[in-house]
């Protein structure tokens, strides 16, 4: 590009130099010099005429004079380039060359005037005007190069013509007719000279313009050439890039037939350029398992001139399959029609395999998670059911009038079974929470009774240790709130249970306070004990799963190290947290904060669902029909003994189907429905009973070993009124019967 413009600039400079005053002067000098001998031929001819007409001396003088005049002019002009190069001013050279031209022109007067002065005939007029015409044409030719010299020459020639005519008229040597012819010849000479002058001027101007135009066109051509060259080298570079790219590239025509492929295409597919050109990619590369929809989408995008990025399964020449990511870009012509399509393809088989492996791993992880959840549910049920039997039977045994020693053995069985239940509950709870499952099942409930019921479970232990358990309320409490009362009770049992466990003297205080805003209630429970306290460096660790503050001391007290972990997760699930302040040897304060929602039901009495209250006194409902749907015979036995004192009319079903049938036949007031039963489970049986319009609807209470929020929610949505958790407790059962 630079070489082209340099060449053009040189030519332009050269052109401008030729058109400059200096250049024109040089060209004038050159022209005058090159036609010197040509002019002398005419001078010699004129002198020869004088010689032949009997005036040899005049001929010789004229020849010599004219020769000298021209020599003087040419001698000066020959030195012009040198003088210019030496820095002589152009104006001066121009002026001097005009003077030498005048001198040269004046010498010609001799040859024009001598014939008429010597002979005086009309024929000499013709000679004079012929000479003037020749001289004039010769001078006019260089008008465009040296205007002053040309005009001086023409003026001298014109003046000599006028002089010749004046002489002929004054001397009377020419007849009036001859004078008239002469005058006409002179006029013609002038016209001829004028015409030639104009012609010469125009032709030189035209030549100059043409040269300039040519130069301009050359410039455009040079520019176009340069651009073409740049374009070509870019094309070459791009072709080189495409050819050597690592990705497979092919170019196809608008019908989708391959026009060109690069080396990577051959490496990827196994097809050489000769084999690929002219083929449609789909015909060449589609595997039997290629998704026809993807193939069709690519074809449609190409014909519609749309770019497309897609993943497709291809087959190589050897039949092996390869996943490629194809990127098709149409190249459109000026009218927007597809001119060709460029496709860049990349082997993504490794990424695809990785993706498939990940999907498989995710699937099996989900499967594992499902299996784990199923296992937990089964475990929960399978462990609770026999535990229910152990605890229930121990209760019955305790109340069967045993001797003191025997009674203490039974108490130990019961205590151990309950301790085992707590551990199992903790582990199952933790597994569920650890898997990120929400266990919160919100219901409307009364706050104070909830807290008190938890404390009432713990008080006997405190009494045993002769330490106090106080409950204080710093603020008025809302009668009804919405949250998971079971989980709140679980937290209190854990924290206050720990406080009692780790306090030997003094006692435990639970300070309750609650603030209410339109968003809900913020509940704070501060549990302060005067127990052993926790070493400062262990405070942050005791929330870690299976972690205890001091192995030696806590070994004495037992525990799994899961209680606080679960309590904190539960508190956080309820939008709160648990914080600790503790001084070793002085005691600890566990502050539990919880967020509770506004209750949906206004009246506390109607709060649903009703969970078992406690009624230690025996309820008597003589003749009231109750249906117990329970497949496990131990549990049936337990229910039978619990309900015996109520004098109710109890019937038993061993599966859900039988429960529905007996409910239709006997229309019981209350049904205790086990959830897991053969043939038809408790949920389906409940739905069937609730859907039967012919039945007076009974109260249905679930008997469930499943303790998760999802199980509780399932019971409620199936139409049950509440639930009794296994292992069954007589007091809870009586609490329910108290409410029907
Ligand atoms: P554990 O079942 O062992 O009680 P927790 O998670 O409930 O499990 O408690 C973890 C540990 O935190 C306890 O073993 C004990 O070392 C410490 N801890 C909890 N509460 C108290 C407390 N009130 N006073 C002293 N130490 C406590």
């Amino acid at each position: 590009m630079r070489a082209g413009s340099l060449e053009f600039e040189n030519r332009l400079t050269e052109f401008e130099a030729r058109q400059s005053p200096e250049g024109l002067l040089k060209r004038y000098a050159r022209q005058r010099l090159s036609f010197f001998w040509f002019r002398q031929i005419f001078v010699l001819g004129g002198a020869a005429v004088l010689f032949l007409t009997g005036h040899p001396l005049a001929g010789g003088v004229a020849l010599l004079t004219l020769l000298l005049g021209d020599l003087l002019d040419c001698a000066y002009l020959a030195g012009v380039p040198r003088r210019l190069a030496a820095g002589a001013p152009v104006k001066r050279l121009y002026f001097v060359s005009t003077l030498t031209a005048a001198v040269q022109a004046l010498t010609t007067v001799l040859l024009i005037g001598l014939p008429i002065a010597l002979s005086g005939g009309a024929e000499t007029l013709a000679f004079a005007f012929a000479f003037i015409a020749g001289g004039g044409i010769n001078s006019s030719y260089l008008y465009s190069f040296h205007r002053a010299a040309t005009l001086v020459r023409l003026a001298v020639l014109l003046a000599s013509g006028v002089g010749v005519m004046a002489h002929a008229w004054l001397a009377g040597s020419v007849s009036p007719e001859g004078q008239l012819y002469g005058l006409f010849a002179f006029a013609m000479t002038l016209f001829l000279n004028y015409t030639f002058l104009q012609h010469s001027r125009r032709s030189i101007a035209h030549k100059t313009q043409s040269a300039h135009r040519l130069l301009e066109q050359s410039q455009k051509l040079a520019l176009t050439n340069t651009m073409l060259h740049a374009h070509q080298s870019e094309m070459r570079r791009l072709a080189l890039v495409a050819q050597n790219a690592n990705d497979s590239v092919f170019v196809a025509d608008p019908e989708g037939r391959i026009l060109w492929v690069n080396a990577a295409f051959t490496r990827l597919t196994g097809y050489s350029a000769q084999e690929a050109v002219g083929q449609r990619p789909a015909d060449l590369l589609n595997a039997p398992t290629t998704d026809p929809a993807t193939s069709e989408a690519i074809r449609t995008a190409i014909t519609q001139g749309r770019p497309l990025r897609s993943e497709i399964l291809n087959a190589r020449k050897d039949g092996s399959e390869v996943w490629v990511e194809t990127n098709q870009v149409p190249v459109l012509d000026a009218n927007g029609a597809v001119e060709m399509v460029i496709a860049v393809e990349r082997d993504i088989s490794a990424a695809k395999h990785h993706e498939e492996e990940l999907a498989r791993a995710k699937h099996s992880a989900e499967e594992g998670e499902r299996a784990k959840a199923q296992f937990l549910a089964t475990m929960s049920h399978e462990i609770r059911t026999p535990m229910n039997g152990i605890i229930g039977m121990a209760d019955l045994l305790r109340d069967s009038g045993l001797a003191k020693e025997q009674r203490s053995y039974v108490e130990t069985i019961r205590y151990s079974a309950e301790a085992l239940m707590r551990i199992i509950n903790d582990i199952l709870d933790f597994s569920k929470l650890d898997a990120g499952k929400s266990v919160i099942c919100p219901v409307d409930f009364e706050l104070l009774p909830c807290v008190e019921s938890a404390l009432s479970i713990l008080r006997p232990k405190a009494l045993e240790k002769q330490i106090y358990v106080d409950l204080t309320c710093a603020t008025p409490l809302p009668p009804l709130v919405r949250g998971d009362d079971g989980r709140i009770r679980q937290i209190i049992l854990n924290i206050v249970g720990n406080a009692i466990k780790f306090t030997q003297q003094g006692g435990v205080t639970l300070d309750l306070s609650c603030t209410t805003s339109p968003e809900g209630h913020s509940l704070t429970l501060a549990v302060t004990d005067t127990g052993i306290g926790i070493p400062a460096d262990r405070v942050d660790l005791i929330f870690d799963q299976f972690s205890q503050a001091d192995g030696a001391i806590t070994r004495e007290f037992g525990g799994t190290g899961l209680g606080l972990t679960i309590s904190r997760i539960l508190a956080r699930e309820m939008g709160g947290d648990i914080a600790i302040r503790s001084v070793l040897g002085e005691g600890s304060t566990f502050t539990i904060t919880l967020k509770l929602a506004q209750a949906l039901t206004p009246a506390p009495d109607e709060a649903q669902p009703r969970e078992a209250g406690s009624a230690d006194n025996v309820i008597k409902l003589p003749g009231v029909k109750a249906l117990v749907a329970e497949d496990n015979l131990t549990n049936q036995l337990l229910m039978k003994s619990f309900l015996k004192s109520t004098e109710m009319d109890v019937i038993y079903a061993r599966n859900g189907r039988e429960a529905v049938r007996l409910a239709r036949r006997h229309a019981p007031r209350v049904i205790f429905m086990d959830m897991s039963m053969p043939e038809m489970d408790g949920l389906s049986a409940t739905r069937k009973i609730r859907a039967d319009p012919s039945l007076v609807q009974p109260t249905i209470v679930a008997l469930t070993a499943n303790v998760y929020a999802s199980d509780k929610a399932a019971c409620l949505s199936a139409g049950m009124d509440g639930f009794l958790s296994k292992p069954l407790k007589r007091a809870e059962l009586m609490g329910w019967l108290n409410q029907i």
Side-chain angles (χ1 to χ4, degrees):
M1 181 131 186
R2 203 180 287 165
S5 70
L6 207 68
E7 188 197 328
F8 169 75
E9 268 168 27
N10 285 342
R11 287 172 63 188
L12 191 69
T13 318
E14 199 181 306
F15 175 82
E16 280 167 357
R18 277 164 63 82
Q19 303 309 319
S20 70
E22 197 180 318
L24 289 172
L25 188 61
K26 274 191 201 162
R27 287 164 77 188
Y28 165 75
R30 208 166 37 242
Q31 294 283 341
R32 286 296 298 176
L33 286 169
S34 58
F35 284 97
F36 175 80
W37 289 114
F38 182 72
R39 287 194 299 278
Q40 301 322 311
I41 292 170
F42 285 95
V43 173
L44 196 65
V49 170
L50 281 178
F51 190 81
L52 292 173
T53 52
H55 308 290
L57 185 64
V61 170
L63 176 68
L64 208 61
T65 312
L66 260 76
L67 187 64
L68 278 174
D70 212 343
L71 271 176
L72 173 78
D73 187 36
C74 285
Y76 185 75
L77 291 177
V80 162
R82 189 175 35 81
R83 286 193 181 89
L84 280 172
V90 186
K91 272 192 179 161
R92 199 180 74 210
L93 297 183
Y94 190 80
F95 177 70
V96 177
S97 60
T98 309
L99 284 183
T100 57
V103 172
Q104 184 271 329
L106 286 172
T107 60
T108 57
V109 175
L110 204 62
L111 201 58
I112 296 166
L114 272 177
I116 195 151
L118 296 174
S119 310
E123 63 283 355
T124 57
L125 281 179
F127 174 82
F129 293 139
F131 203 86
I132 288 169
I137 286 169
N138 186 261
S139 316
S140 302
Y141 182 67
L142 297 177
Y143 176 77
S144 298
F145 305 126
H146 201 314
R147 197 171 291 185
T150 307
L151 291 177
V152 163
R153 279 199 180 92
L154 289 175
V156 171
L157 288 173
L158 181 71
S160 51
V162 172
V164 166
M165 280 304 298
H167 182 273
W169 182 59
L170 292 173
S173 57
V174 179
S175 67
E177 277 169 28
Q179 284 179 29
L180 199 61
Y181 280 123
L183 199 62
F184 183 73
F186 184 45
M188 284 304 289
T189 304
L190 287 179
F191 175 71
L192 191 68
N193 276 352
Y194 175 75
T195 313
F196 192 79
L197 182 77
Q198 289 300 333
H199 168 74
S200 152
R201 195 175 57 76
R202 279 196 196 117
S203 97
I204 296 289
H206 178 71
K207 256 171 134 177
T208 311
Q209 266 175 16
S210 302
H212 194 255
R213 256 202 305 278
L214 198 68
L215 213 57
E216 273 179 355
Q217 278 164 3
S218 311
Q219 183 194 20
K220 279 183 192 151
L221 200 67
L223 212 67
T224 314
N225 265 339
T226 315
M227 278 164 65
L228 194 70
H229 187 72
H231 198 62
Q232 275 173 348
S233 34
E234 196 185 334
M235 291 288 284
R236 259 198 306 278
R237 268 199 305 276
L238 286 177
L240 223 62
V241 170
Q243 184 61 40
N244 295 308
N246 273 339
D247 288 345
S248 150
V249 180
F250 70 79
V251 178
D253 65 16
E255 277 76 47
R257 269 186 294 271
I258 296 175
L259 298 170
W260 180 88
V261 300
N262 71 349
F265 176 91
T266 305
R267 281 200 300 276
L268 179 71
T269 65
Y271 290 106
S272 68
Q274 288 88 333
E275 287 167 324
V277 169
Q279 301 271 11
R280 285 198 168 81
D283 300 341
L284 193 68
L285 300 171
N286 276 11
T289 41
T290 299
D291 177 21
T294 313
S295 183
E296 181 57 25
I298 294 176
R299 204 191 60 76
T300 317
I302 289 178
T303 47
Q304 290 178 351
R306 270 190 296 112
L308 182 89
R309 192 188 202 105
S310 173
E311 289 177 358
I312 188 166
L313 185 68
N314 278 349
R316 293 195 183 90
K317 188 179 174 183
D318 62 10
S320 60
E321 291 186 339
V322 56
W323 269 101
V324 294
E325 183 194 70
T326 175
N327 206 346
Q328 319 248 346
V329 184
V331 178
L332 307 182
D333 65 12
N335 304 319
V338 181
E339 198 176 328
M340 59 179 166
V341 176
I342 300 174
V344 181
E345 301 198 326
R346 177 172 293 184
D347 182 352
I348 54 161
S349 301
K352 271 279 171 195
H353 289 146
H354 188 59
E355 209 176 275
E356 279 164 12
E357 265 167 28
L358 275 181
R360 265 200 299 276
K362 185 167 174 262
H363 183 70
S364 58
E366 282 167 358
E367 276 295 305
E369 194 53 43
R370 256 195 298 281
K372 186 178 160 194
Q374 184 58 43
F375 172 76
L376 286 176
T378 314
M379 280 293 288
S380 169
H381 185 260
E382 293 305 319
I383 296 173
R384 276 162 190 274
T385 305
M387 288 307 290
N388 188 31
I390 295 170
I391 293 172
M393 289 304 153
D395 276 350
L396 290 179
L397 199 58
R398 185 185 55 191
D399 299 341
S400 62
L402 296 176
K404 196 177 172 205
E405 193 184 352
Q406 289 165 325
R407 200 180 154 87
S408 83
Y409 294 157
V410 174
E411 288 291 356
T412 311
I413 294 174
R414 205 180 179 290
Y415 177 79
S416 306
E418 269 176 2
L420 192 58
M421 269 313 289
R422 267 198 302 281
I423 294 172
I424 292 165
N425 282 347
D426 276 1
I427 293 175
L428 294 177
D429 259 1
F430 178 72
S431 309
K432 186 97 175 184
L433 291 167
D434 196 40
K437 303 255 158 65
S438 177
V439 293
I440 305 300
C441 179
V443 292
D444 289 353
F445 69 98
E446 290 171 75
L447 197 50
L448 200 55
C450 165
V451 177
E452 270 172 346
S453 74
L455 292 185
S456 70
I457 295 172
L458 297 167
R459 274 205 178 93
K461 185 80 196 166
L463 214 59
E464 212 174 86
K465 292 180 81 175
Q466 297 187 324
I467 57 171
Y468 62 84
V469 175
D470 287 346
L471 173 65
T472 62
C473 290
T475 57
L477 297 179
L480 204 61
V481 293
R482 190 169 180 79
D484 191 330
D485 57 338
R487 293 300 178 182
I488 294 174
R489 209 175 288 128
Q490 186 178 350
I491 296 174
I492 297 172
L493 285 174
N494 254 316
I495 306 283
V496 179
N498 274 347
I500 295 171
K501 188 160 76 171
F502 294 109
T503 302
Q504 303 305 343
Q505 50 196 356
V508 180
T509 313
L510 172 55
D511 293 309
L512 212 55
S513 62
C514 184
T515 54
T516 301
S517 71
E519 286 80 52
H521 310 283
S522 293
L523 183 67
T524 306
L525 304 105
V527 180
T528 307
D529 66 56
T530 55
I532 59 171
I534 303 162
D537 60 335
R538 302 294 298 167
V539 166
D540 290 339
L541 301 175
I542 58 169
F543 283 110
D544 291 351
Q545 61 206 50
F546 310 112
S547 163
Q548 298 182 323
D550 183 321
I553 295 175
T554 48
R555 217 170 293 134
E556 179 191 336
F557 300 100
T560 55
L562 278 176
L564 283 180
T565 314
I566 293 170
S567 298
R568 176 176 260 185
I569 297 175
L570 289 175
R572 286 182 175 169
E573 286 257 324
M574 287 187 247
D577 207 345
I578 300 178
I580 312 175
R581 261 186 311 110
S582 184
V583 179
L584 192 62
E586 288 183 18
S588 320
T589 300
F590 286 71
T591 308
I592 308 152
T593 49
L594 300 172
K595 294 247 179 300
L596 298 172
Q598 307 271 17
L600 300 181
T601 47
D605 296 355
E606 299 309 314
Q608 61 87 31
R610 290 166 293 160
E611 214 163 314
S614 60
D616 285 339
N617 53 333
V618 174
I619 309 283
K620 298 256 184 243
L621 297 165
V624 173
K625 274 198 182 131
L627 170 62
V628 175
E630 170 63 82
D631 61 319
N632 185 293
L633 286 178
T634 315
N635 288 340
Q636 269 197 23
L637 195 63
L638 200 60
M639 283 298 279
K640 202 176 261 174
S641 70
F642 282 165
L643 294 173
K644 197 172 165 195
S645 58
T646 63
E647 295 167 18
M648 292 176 86
D649 181 4
V650 187
I651 41 174
Y652 293 89
R654 272 170 307 172
N655 59 52
R657 202 177 302 286
E658 203 179 337
V660 177
R661 193 166 48 79
L662 292 178
R664 283 187 182 135
R665 188 186 300 166
H666 299 286
R669 271 265 296 284
V670 59
I671 302 177
F672 294 102
M673 184 80 82
D674 184 24
M675 277 179 73
S676 318
M677 287 185 289
E679 287 191 46
M680 183 186 284
D681 63 23
L683 294 177
S684 312
T686 305
R687 274 189 220 102
K688 278 212 172 325
I689 293 167
R690 291 293 186 222
D692 192 336
S694 65
L695 274 174
V696 177
Q697 287 297 326
T699 299
I700 305 180
V701 181
L703 296 177
T704 172
N706 303 334
V707 287
Y708 297 128
S710 53
D711 302 320
K712 289 186 176 180
C715 289
L716 294 181
S717 78
M720 294 188 180
D721 298 290
F723 19 74
L724 278 172
S725 296
K726 291 177 182 174
L728 288 176
K729 293 185 187 64
R730 180 203 290 270
E732 286 176 6
L733 179 64
M734 292 306 148
W736 261 107
L737 292 177
N738 206 14
Q739 292 177 42
I740 62 169

